[in-house]
PDB file of all heavy atoms in Angstrom:
ATOM      1  N   VAL A 637     -23.679 -59.279  20.881  1.00 98.00           N
ATOM      2  CA  VAL A 637     -24.043 -58.036  21.248  1.00 98.00           C
ATOM      3  C   VAL A 637     -25.226 -57.988  22.280  1.00 98.00           C
ATOM      4  O   VAL A 637     -26.229 -58.524  21.948  1.00 98.00           O
ATOM      5  CB  VAL A 637     -24.417 -57.009  20.090  1.00 98.00           C
ATOM      6  CG1 VAL A 637     -24.589 -55.663  20.576  1.00 98.00           C
ATOM      7  CG2 VAL A 637     -23.259 -57.029  19.030  1.00 98.00           C
ATOM      8  N   VAL A 638     -24.817 -57.530  23.485  1.00 98.00           N
ATOM      9  CA  VAL A 638     -25.798 -57.717  24.681  1.00 98.00           C
ATOM     10  C   VAL A 638     -26.045 -56.458  25.257  1.00 98.00           C
ATOM     11  O   VAL A 638     -25.232 -55.576  25.538  1.00 98.00           O
ATOM     12  CB  VAL A 638     -25.107 -58.653  25.591  1.00 98.00           C
ATOM     13  CG1 VAL A 638     -26.145 -59.075  26.722  1.00 98.00           C
ATOM     14  CG2 VAL A 638     -24.615 -59.992  24.899  1.00 98.00           C
ATOM     15  N   HIS A 639     -27.358 -56.133  25.723  1.00 98.00           N
ATOM     16  CA  HIS A 639     -27.686 -55.119  26.515  1.00 98.00           C
ATOM     17  C   HIS A 639     -26.954 -55.107  27.874  1.00 98.00           C
ATOM     18  O   HIS A 639     -26.874 -56.218  28.493  1.00 98.00           O
ATOM     19  CB  HIS A 639     -29.162 -54.905  26.679  1.00 98.00           C
ATOM     20  CG  HIS A 639     -29.616 -53.519  27.142  1.00 98.00           C
ATOM     21  ND1 HIS A 639     -29.637 -53.242  28.566  1.00 98.00           N
ATOM     22  CD2 HIS A 639     -29.791 -52.293  26.509  1.00 98.00           C
ATOM     23  CE1 HIS A 639     -29.971 -52.020  28.637  1.00 98.00           C
ATOM     24  NE2 HIS A 639     -30.079 -51.342  27.395  1.00 98.00           N
ATOM     25  N   THR A 640     -26.552 -54.037  28.397  1.00 98.00           N
ATOM     26  CA  THR A 640     -25.815 -53.957  29.753  1.00 98.00           C
ATOM     27  C   THR A 640     -26.801 -54.507  30.814  1.00 98.00           C
ATOM     28  O   THR A 640     -26.131 -54.992  31.834  1.00 98.00           O
ATOM     29  CB  THR A 640     -25.324 -52.649  30.081  1.00 98.00           C
ATOM     30  OG1 THR A 640     -26.488 -51.630  29.982  1.00 98.00           O
ATOM     31  CG2 THR A 640     -24.318 -52.154  29.090  1.00 98.00           C
ATOM     32  N   SER A 641     -28.025 -54.507  30.759  1.00 98.00           N
ATOM     33  CA  SER A 641     -28.843 -55.112  31.814  1.00 98.00           C
ATOM     34  C   SER A 641     -28.727 -56.538  31.992  1.00 98.00           C
ATOM     35  O   SER A 641     -29.066 -57.185  32.891  1.00 98.00           O
ATOM     36  CB  SER A 641     -30.385 -54.729  31.447  1.00 98.00           C
ATOM     37  OG  SER A 641     -30.858 -55.212  30.223  1.00 98.00           O
ATOM     38  N   ASP A 642     -28.179 -57.185  30.823  1.00 98.00           N
ATOM     39  CA  ASP A 642     -28.086 -58.690  30.927  1.00 98.00           C
ATOM     40  C   ASP A 642     -26.598 -59.141  31.199  1.00 98.00           C
ATOM     41  O   ASP A 642     -26.242 -60.260  31.096  1.00 98.00           O
ATOM     42  CB  ASP A 642     -28.400 -59.304  29.585  1.00 98.00           C
ATOM     43  CG  ASP A 642     -29.945 -59.138  29.300  1.00 98.00           C
ATOM     44  OD1 ASP A 642     -30.717 -59.101  30.238  1.00 98.00           O
ATOM     45  OD2 ASP A 642     -30.275 -58.954  28.079  1.00 98.00           O
ATOM     46  N   VAL A 643     -25.715 -58.202  31.735  1.00 98.00           N
ATOM     47  CA  VAL A 643     -24.312 -58.517  31.823  1.00 98.00           C
ATOM     48  C   VAL A 643     -24.073 -59.617  32.825  1.00 98.00           C
ATOM     49  O   VAL A 643     -23.150 -60.499  32.665  1.00 98.00           O
ATOM     50  CB  VAL A 643     -23.528 -57.209  32.251  1.00 98.00           C
ATOM     51  CG1 VAL A 643     -23.901 -56.791  33.705  1.00 98.00           C
ATOM     52  CG2 VAL A 643     -22.099 -57.428  32.147  1.00 98.00           C
ATOM     53  N   LEU A 644     -24.860 -59.784  33.909  1.00 98.00           N
ATOM     54  CA  LEU A 644     -24.613 -60.741  34.896  1.00 98.00           C
ATOM     55  C   LEU A 644     -24.826 -62.181  34.362  1.00 98.00           C
ATOM     56  O   LEU A 644     -24.142 -63.128  35.002  1.00 98.00           O
ATOM     57  CB  LEU A 644     -25.454 -60.663  36.143  1.00 98.00           C
ATOM     58  CG  LEU A 644     -25.156 -59.357  37.015  1.00 98.00           C
ATOM     59  CD1 LEU A 644     -25.935 -59.316  38.248  1.00 98.00           C
ATOM     60  CD2 LEU A 644     -23.663 -59.317  37.305  1.00 98.00           C
ATOM     61  N   SER A 645     -25.564 -62.377  33.351  1.00 98.00           N
ATOM     62  CA  SER A 645     -25.768 -63.673  32.729  1.00 98.00           C
ATOM     63  C   SER A 645     -24.457 -64.204  31.977  1.00 98.00           C
ATOM     64  O   SER A 645     -24.392 -65.328  31.705  1.00 98.00           O
ATOM     65  CB  SER A 645     -26.939 -63.760  31.750  1.00 98.00           C
ATOM     66  OG  SER A 645     -26.564 -62.966  30.701  1.00 98.00           O
ATOM     67  N   TRP A 646     -23.453 -63.244  31.935  1.00 98.00           N
ATOM     68  CA  TRP A 646     -22.277 -63.594  31.283  1.00 98.00           C
ATOM     69  C   TRP A 646     -21.104 -63.764  32.364  1.00 98.00           C
ATOM     70  O   TRP A 646     -19.942 -63.901  31.899  1.00 98.00           O
ATOM     71  CB  TRP A 646     -21.866 -62.585  30.243  1.00 98.00           C
ATOM     72  CG  TRP A 646     -22.694 -62.600  28.996  1.00 98.00           C
ATOM     73  CD1 TRP A 646     -24.038 -62.209  28.920  1.00 98.00           C
ATOM     74  CD2 TRP A 646     -22.372 -63.158  27.752  1.00 98.00           C
ATOM     75  NE1 TRP A 646     -24.550 -62.438  27.570  1.00 98.00           N
ATOM     76  CE2 TRP A 646     -23.485 -63.125  26.968  1.00 98.00           C
ATOM     77  CE3 TRP A 646     -21.213 -63.791  27.228  1.00 98.00           C
ATOM     78  CZ2 TRP A 646     -23.578 -63.539  25.483  1.00 98.00           C
ATOM     79  CZ3 TRP A 646     -21.231 -64.229  25.937  1.00 98.00           C
ATOM     80  CH2 TRP A 646     -22.388 -64.074  25.070  1.00 98.00           C
ATOM     81  N   LYS A 647     -21.507 -63.890  33.568  1.00 96.00           N
ATOM     82  CA  LYS A 647     -20.417 -63.851  34.609  1.00 96.00           C
ATOM     83  C   LYS A 647     -19.336 -64.913  34.408  1.00 96.00           C
ATOM     84  O   LYS A 647     -18.207 -64.806  34.638  1.00 96.00           O
ATOM     85  CB  LYS A 647     -21.120 -63.931  35.988  1.00 96.00           C
ATOM     86  CG  LYS A 647     -20.129 -63.925  37.129  1.00 96.00           C
ATOM     87  CD  LYS A 647     -20.914 -63.957  38.467  1.00 96.00           C
ATOM     88  CE  LYS A 647     -19.921 -64.097  39.612  1.00 96.00           C
ATOM     89  NZ  LYS A 647     -20.604 -63.978  41.010  1.00 96.00           N
ATOM     90  N   ASP A 648     -19.778 -66.110  34.077  1.00 95.00           N
ATOM     91  CA  ASP A 648     -18.987 -67.337  34.050  1.00 95.00           C
ATOM     92  C   ASP A 648     -18.385 -67.547  32.551  1.00 95.00           C
ATOM     93  O   ASP A 648     -17.648 -68.661  32.317  1.00 95.00           O
ATOM     94  CB  ASP A 648     -19.564 -68.468  34.481  1.00 95.00           C
ATOM     95  CG  ASP A 648     -20.039 -68.497  35.946  1.00 95.00           C
ATOM     96  OD1 ASP A 648     -19.244 -67.791  36.766  1.00 95.00           O
ATOM     97  OD2 ASP A 648     -21.162 -68.846  36.342  1.00 95.00           O
ATOM     98  N   LYS A 649     -18.707 -66.592  31.595  1.00 98.00           N
ATOM     99  CA  LYS A 649     -18.203 -66.772  30.282  1.00 98.00           C
ATOM    100  C   LYS A 649     -17.158 -65.862  29.856  1.00 98.00           C
ATOM    101  O   LYS A 649     -16.686 -65.939  28.774  1.00 98.00           O
ATOM    102  CB  LYS A 649     -19.521 -66.665  29.298  1.00 98.00           C
ATOM    103  CG  LYS A 649     -20.621 -67.444  29.612  1.00 98.00           C
ATOM    104  CD  LYS A 649     -21.824 -67.065  28.706  1.00 98.00           C
ATOM    105  CE  LYS A 649     -23.070 -67.963  29.196  1.00 98.00           C
ATOM    106  NZ  LYS A 649     -24.247 -67.488  28.401  1.00 98.00           N
ATOM    107  N   ILE A 650     -16.730 -64.902  30.738  1.00 98.00           N
ATOM    108  CA  ILE A 650     -15.842 -63.920  30.546  1.00 98.00           C
ATOM    109  C   ILE A 650     -14.706 -63.944  31.411  1.00 98.00           C
ATOM    110  O   ILE A 650     -14.914 -63.921  32.605  1.00 98.00           O
ATOM    111  CB  ILE A 650     -16.445 -62.528  30.390  1.00 98.00           C
ATOM    112  CG1 ILE A 650     -17.367 -62.421  29.218  1.00 98.00           C
ATOM    113  CG2 ILE A 650     -15.401 -61.422  30.369  1.00 98.00           C
ATOM    114  CD1 ILE A 650     -18.213 -61.176  29.181  1.00 98.00           C
ATOM    115  N   ASP A 651     -13.428 -63.991  30.898  1.00 98.00           N
ATOM    116  CA  ASP A 651     -12.285 -64.056  31.744  1.00 98.00           C
ATOM    117  C   ASP A 651     -11.865 -62.621  32.269  1.00 98.00           C
ATOM    118  O   ASP A 651     -11.542 -62.422  33.421  1.00 98.00           O
ATOM    119  CB  ASP A 651     -11.063 -64.621  31.106  1.00 98.00           C
ATOM    120  CG  ASP A 651     -11.223 -66.109  30.799  1.00 98.00           C
ATOM    121  OD1 ASP A 651     -11.735 -66.886  31.588  1.00 98.00           O
ATOM    122  OD2 ASP A 651     -10.983 -66.504  29.634  1.00 98.00           O
ATOM    123  N   VAL A 652     -11.959 -61.672  31.289  1.00 98.00           N
ATOM    124  CA  VAL A 652     -11.669 -60.237  31.806  1.00 98.00           C
ATOM    125  C   VAL A 652     -12.626 -59.372  30.937  1.00 98.00           C
ATOM    126  O   VAL A 652     -12.786 -59.478  29.692  1.00 98.00           O
ATOM    127  CB  VAL A 652     -10.186 -59.772  31.372  1.00 98.00           C
ATOM    128  CG1 VAL A 652      -9.978 -58.368  31.758  1.00 98.00           C
ATOM    129  CG2 VAL A 652      -9.258 -60.796  31.998  1.00 98.00           C
ATOM    130  N   MET A 653     -13.241 -58.322  31.659  1.00 99.00           N
ATOM    131  CA  MET A 653     -14.102 -57.366  31.049  1.00 99.00           C
ATOM    132  C   MET A 653     -13.358 -56.120  30.880  1.00 99.00           C
ATOM    133  O   MET A 653     -12.620 -55.632  31.823  1.00 99.00           O
ATOM    134  CB  MET A 653     -15.283 -57.113  31.909  1.00 99.00           C
ATOM    135  CG  MET A 653     -16.295 -56.181  31.320  1.00 99.00           C
ATOM    136  SD  MET A 653     -17.373 -57.043  30.092  1.00 99.00           S
ATOM    137  CE  MET A 653     -18.505 -57.863  31.175  1.00 99.00           C
ATOM    138  N   ILE A 654     -13.250 -55.561  29.661  1.00 98.00           N
ATOM    139  CA  ILE A 654     -12.640 -54.350  29.421  1.00 98.00           C
ATOM    140  C   ILE A 654     -13.636 -53.168  29.452  1.00 98.00           C
ATOM    141  O   ILE A 654     -14.526 -53.203  28.514  1.00 98.00           O
ATOM    142  CB  ILE A 654     -11.742 -54.346  28.222  1.00 98.00           C
ATOM    143  CG1 ILE A 654     -10.728 -55.453  28.221  1.00 98.00           C
ATOM    144  CG2 ILE A 654     -11.074 -52.966  27.846  1.00 98.00           C
ATOM    145  CD1 ILE A 654      -9.821 -55.654  27.017  1.00 98.00           C
ATOM    146  N   LEU A 655     -13.469 -52.295  30.287  1.00 98.00           N
ATOM    147  CA  LEU A 655     -14.503 -51.248  30.432  1.00 98.00           C
ATOM    148  C   LEU A 655     -14.142 -49.921  29.622  1.00 98.00           C
ATOM    149  O   LEU A 655     -13.008 -49.398  29.727  1.00 98.00           O
ATOM    150  CB  LEU A 655     -14.613 -50.763  31.951  1.00 98.00           C
ATOM    151  CG  LEU A 655     -15.504 -51.555  32.816  1.00 98.00           C
ATOM    152  CD1 LEU A 655     -15.147 -53.038  32.855  1.00 98.00           C
ATOM    153  CD2 LEU A 655     -15.559 -51.020  34.286  1.00 98.00           C
ATOM    154  N   CYS A 656     -15.036 -49.489  28.747  1.00 97.00           N
ATOM    155  CA  CYS A 656     -14.746 -48.431  27.805  1.00 97.00           C
ATOM    156  C   CYS A 656     -15.745 -47.281  28.036  1.00 97.00           C
ATOM    157  O   CYS A 656     -16.100 -46.665  27.067  1.00 97.00           O
ATOM    158  CB  CYS A 656     -14.865 -48.962  26.388  1.00 97.00           C
ATOM    159  SG  CYS A 656     -13.623 -50.269  26.011  1.00 97.00           S
ATOM    160  N   GLY A 657     -16.108 -47.013  29.354  1.00 94.00           N
ATOM    161  CA  GLY A 657     -16.826 -45.880  29.601  1.00 94.00           C
ATOM    162  C   GLY A 657     -16.025 -44.617  29.867  1.00 94.00           C
ATOM    163  O   GLY A 657     -14.735 -44.703  29.938  1.00 94.00           O
ATOM    164  N   GLY A 658     -16.648 -43.517  30.029  1.00 88.00           N
ATOM    165  CA  GLY A 658     -15.933 -42.302  30.307  1.00 88.00           C
ATOM    166  C   GLY A 658     -15.593 -42.090  31.811  1.00 88.00           C
ATOM    167  O   GLY A 658     -16.223 -42.648  32.661  1.00 88.00           O
ATOM    168  N   SER A 659     -14.551 -41.333  32.075  1.00 88.00           N
ATOM    169  CA  SER A 659     -14.090 -41.184  33.465  1.00 88.00           C
ATOM    170  C   SER A 659     -14.994 -40.154  34.336  1.00 88.00           C
ATOM    171  O   SER A 659     -14.967 -40.248  35.494  1.00 88.00           O
ATOM    172  CB  SER A 659     -12.680 -40.684  33.533  1.00 88.00           C
ATOM    173  OG  SER A 659     -11.729 -41.709  32.865  1.00 88.00           O
ATOM    174  N   ALA A 660     -15.563 -39.284  33.538  1.00 81.00           N
ATOM    175  CA  ALA A 660     -16.341 -38.159  34.278  1.00 81.00           C
ATOM    176  C   ALA A 660     -17.489 -38.762  35.043  1.00 81.00           C
ATOM    177  O   ALA A 660     -17.581 -38.413  36.316  1.00 81.00           O
ATOM    178  CB  ALA A 660     -16.887 -37.174  33.268  1.00 81.00           C
ATOM    179  N   THR A 661     -18.280 -39.622  34.425  1.00 89.00           N
ATOM    180  CA  THR A 661     -19.478 -40.097  35.273  1.00 89.00           C
ATOM    181  C   THR A 661     -19.582 -41.617  35.168  1.00 89.00           C
ATOM    182  O   THR A 661     -20.194 -42.209  36.117  1.00 89.00           O
ATOM    183  CB  THR A 661     -20.810 -39.508  34.634  1.00 89.00           C
ATOM    184  OG1 THR A 661     -20.828 -39.661  33.319  1.00 89.00           O
ATOM    185  CG2 THR A 661     -20.702 -37.871  34.911  1.00 89.00           C
ATOM    186  N   ASP A 662     -19.132 -42.279  34.117  1.00 95.00           N
ATOM    187  CA  ASP A 662     -19.352 -43.762  33.944  1.00 95.00           C
ATOM    188  C   ASP A 662     -18.514 -44.534  34.882  1.00 95.00           C
ATOM    189  O   ASP A 662     -19.019 -45.337  35.667  1.00 95.00           O
ATOM    190  CB  ASP A 662     -19.048 -44.191  32.483  1.00 95.00           C
ATOM    191  CG  ASP A 662     -20.026 -43.609  31.480  1.00 95.00           C
ATOM    192  OD1 ASP A 662     -21.157 -43.374  31.943  1.00 95.00           O
ATOM    193  OD2 ASP A 662     -19.645 -43.434  30.306  1.00 95.00           O
ATOM    194  N   LEU A 663     -17.170 -44.483  34.792  1.00 97.00           N
ATOM    195  CA  LEU A 663     -16.304 -45.411  35.510  1.00 97.00           C
ATOM    196  C   LEU A 663     -16.304 -45.323  37.013  1.00 97.00           C
ATOM    197  O   LEU A 663     -16.220 -46.329  37.613  1.00 97.00           O
ATOM    198  CB  LEU A 663     -14.839 -45.277  34.978  1.00 97.00           C
ATOM    199  CG  LEU A 663     -14.632 -45.599  33.465  1.00 97.00           C
ATOM    200  CD1 LEU A 663     -13.183 -45.332  33.139  1.00 97.00           C
ATOM    201  CD2 LEU A 663     -15.003 -47.063  33.192  1.00 97.00           C
ATOM    202  N   PRO A 664     -16.561 -44.207  37.618  1.00 97.00           N
ATOM    203  CA  PRO A 664     -16.629 -44.115  39.071  1.00 97.00           C
ATOM    204  C   PRO A 664     -17.815 -45.119  39.575  1.00 97.00           C
ATOM    205  O   PRO A 664     -17.751 -45.614  40.718  1.00 97.00           O
ATOM    206  CB  PRO A 664     -16.945 -42.670  39.352  1.00 97.00           C
ATOM    207  CG  PRO A 664     -16.272 -41.957  38.266  1.00 97.00           C
ATOM    208  CD  PRO A 664     -16.567 -42.821  37.073  1.00 97.00           C
ATOM    209  N   GLU A 665     -18.781 -45.320  38.843  1.00 97.00           N
ATOM    210  CA  GLU A 665     -19.881 -46.184  39.211  1.00 97.00           C
ATOM    211  C   GLU A 665     -19.725 -47.512  38.617  1.00 97.00           C
ATOM    212  O   GLU A 665     -19.983 -48.589  39.244  1.00 97.00           O
ATOM    213  CB  GLU A 665     -21.311 -45.598  38.832  1.00 97.00           C
ATOM    214  CG  GLU A 665     -21.509 -44.309  39.445  1.00 97.00           C
ATOM    215  CD  GLU A 665     -22.980 -43.771  39.176  1.00 97.00           C
ATOM    216  OE1 GLU A 665     -23.645 -44.447  38.329  1.00 97.00           O
ATOM    217  OE2 GLU A 665     -23.297 -42.586  39.601  1.00 97.00           O
ATOM    218  N   MET A 666     -19.419 -47.611  37.274  1.00 98.00           N
ATOM    219  CA  MET A 666     -19.286 -48.927  36.511  1.00 98.00           C
ATOM    220  C   MET A 666     -18.215 -49.772  37.192  1.00 98.00           C
ATOM    221  O   MET A 666     -18.463 -51.006  37.374  1.00 98.00           O
ATOM    222  CB  MET A 666     -18.896 -48.622  35.153  1.00 98.00           C
ATOM    223  CG  MET A 666     -19.947 -48.310  34.147  1.00 98.00           C
ATOM    224  SD  MET A 666     -19.186 -48.106  32.516  1.00 98.00           S
ATOM    225  CE  MET A 666     -20.508 -47.399  31.645  1.00 98.00           C
ATOM    226  N   THR A 667     -17.121 -49.334  37.416  1.00 98.00           N
ATOM    227  CA  THR A 667     -15.879 -50.273  37.810  1.00 98.00           C
ATOM    228  C   THR A 667     -16.187 -50.893  39.140  1.00 98.00           C
ATOM    229  O   THR A 667     -16.074 -52.046  39.165  1.00 98.00           O
ATOM    230  CB  THR A 667     -14.667 -49.458  37.862  1.00 98.00           C
ATOM    231  OG1 THR A 667     -14.479 -48.734  36.507  1.00 98.00           O
ATOM    232  CG2 THR A 667     -13.376 -50.405  37.964  1.00 98.00           C
ATOM    233  N   PRO A 668     -16.548 -50.204  40.226  1.00 98.00           N
ATOM    234  CA  PRO A 668     -16.819 -50.981  41.437  1.00 98.00           C
ATOM    235  C   PRO A 668     -17.936 -51.857  41.314  1.00 98.00           C
ATOM    236  O   PRO A 668     -17.901 -53.000  41.889  1.00 98.00           O
ATOM    237  CB  PRO A 668     -17.116 -49.807  42.477  1.00 98.00           C
ATOM    238  CG  PRO A 668     -16.577 -48.545  41.856  1.00 98.00           C
ATOM    239  CD  PRO A 668     -16.622 -48.803  40.414  1.00 98.00           C
ATOM    240  N   ALA A 669     -18.937 -51.527  40.587  1.00 98.00           N
ATOM    241  CA  ALA A 669     -20.210 -52.439  40.391  1.00 98.00           C
ATOM    242  C   ALA A 669     -19.842 -53.618  39.633  1.00 98.00           C
ATOM    243  O   ALA A 669     -20.120 -54.817  40.064  1.00 98.00           O
ATOM    244  CB  ALA A 669     -21.301 -51.636  39.651  1.00 98.00           C
ATOM    245  N   LEU A 670     -19.021 -53.514  38.529  1.00 98.00           N
ATOM    246  CA  LEU A 670     -18.698 -54.695  37.762  1.00 98.00           C
ATOM    247  C   LEU A 670     -17.585 -55.506  38.368  1.00 98.00           C
ATOM    248  O   LEU A 670     -17.551 -56.701  38.252  1.00 98.00           O
ATOM    249  CB  LEU A 670     -18.252 -54.289  36.302  1.00 98.00           C
ATOM    250  CG  LEU A 670     -19.432 -53.788  35.477  1.00 98.00           C
ATOM    251  CD1 LEU A 670     -18.830 -53.068  34.214  1.00 98.00           C
ATOM    252  CD2 LEU A 670     -20.356 -54.908  35.121  1.00 98.00           C
ATOM    253  N   ALA A 671     -16.825 -54.955  39.147  1.00 98.00           N
ATOM    254  CA  ALA A 671     -15.789 -55.689  39.963  1.00 98.00           C
ATOM    255  C   ALA A 671     -16.359 -56.671  40.985  1.00 98.00           C
ATOM    256  O   ALA A 671     -15.718 -57.587  41.349  1.00 98.00           O
ATOM    257  CB  ALA A 671     -14.783 -54.779  40.749  1.00 98.00           C
ATOM    258  N   GLU A 672     -17.631 -56.552  41.351  1.00 98.00           N
ATOM    259  CA  GLU A 672     -18.409 -57.512  42.174  1.00 98.00           C
ATOM    260  C   GLU A 672     -18.576 -58.763  41.406  1.00 98.00           C
ATOM    261  O   GLU A 672     -18.823 -59.797  42.137  1.00 98.00           O
ATOM    262  CB  GLU A 672     -19.688 -56.878  42.673  1.00 98.00           C
ATOM    263  CG  GLU A 672     -19.481 -55.725  43.498  1.00 98.00           C
ATOM    264  CD  GLU A 672     -20.885 -55.095  43.826  1.00 98.00           C
ATOM    265  OE1 GLU A 672     -21.891 -55.627  43.472  1.00 98.00           O
ATOM    266  OE2 GLU A 672     -20.931 -53.972  44.658  1.00 98.00           O
ATOM    267  N   ASN A 673     -18.364 -58.808  40.094  1.00 98.00           N
ATOM    268  CA  ASN A 673     -18.633 -60.111  39.404  1.00 98.00           C
ATOM    269  C   ASN A 673     -17.617 -60.409  38.347  1.00 98.00           C
ATOM    270  O   ASN A 673     -17.616 -61.520  37.830  1.00 98.00           O
ATOM    271  CB  ASN A 673     -19.971 -60.026  38.707  1.00 98.00           C
ATOM    272  CG  ASN A 673     -21.166 -59.979  39.758  1.00 98.00           C
ATOM    273  OD1 ASN A 673     -21.468 -61.069  40.291  1.00 98.00           O
ATOM    274  ND2 ASN A 673     -21.609 -58.858  40.022  1.00 98.00           N
ATOM    275  N   PHE A 674     -16.789 -59.453  37.957  1.00 98.00           N
ATOM    276  CA  PHE A 674     -15.899 -59.719  36.925  1.00 98.00           C
ATOM    277  C   PHE A 674     -14.390 -59.293  37.170  1.00 98.00           C
ATOM    278  O   PHE A 674     -14.144 -58.249  37.818  1.00 98.00           O
ATOM    279  CB  PHE A 674     -16.275 -58.974  35.501  1.00 98.00           C
ATOM    280  CG  PHE A 674     -17.610 -59.442  35.079  1.00 98.00           C
ATOM    281  CD1 PHE A 674     -18.778 -58.722  35.399  1.00 98.00           C
ATOM    282  CD2 PHE A 674     -17.647 -60.458  34.088  1.00 98.00           C
ATOM    283  CE1 PHE A 674     -20.068 -59.200  34.868  1.00 98.00           C
ATOM    284  CE2 PHE A 674     -18.951 -60.784  33.597  1.00 98.00           C
ATOM    285  CZ  PHE A 674     -20.106 -60.103  33.933  1.00 98.00           C
TER     286      PHE A 674
END
């Protein structure tokens, strides 16, 4: 269980990240940002 601020340290340990945020405000920002690394 990891704080989101440490997500980049897991870049090479995860094959696919499944995003479980809301569509109203989370995913429009989360998905493009995380797609830069996962």
Side-chain angles (χ1 to χ4, degrees):
V637 180
V638 184
H639 194 269
T640 53
S641 61
D642 294 328
V643 67
L644 291 185
S645 65
W646 288 75
K647 179 176 179 179
D648 298 323
K649 303 173 186 176
I650 289 173
D651 295 313
V652 183
M653 186 79 79
I654 300 179
L655 277 54
C656 299
S659 296
T661 57
D662 289 337
L663 295 177
E665 295 183 4
M666 277 181 189
T667 309
L670 288 168
E672 295 177 1
N673 292 282
F674 296 93

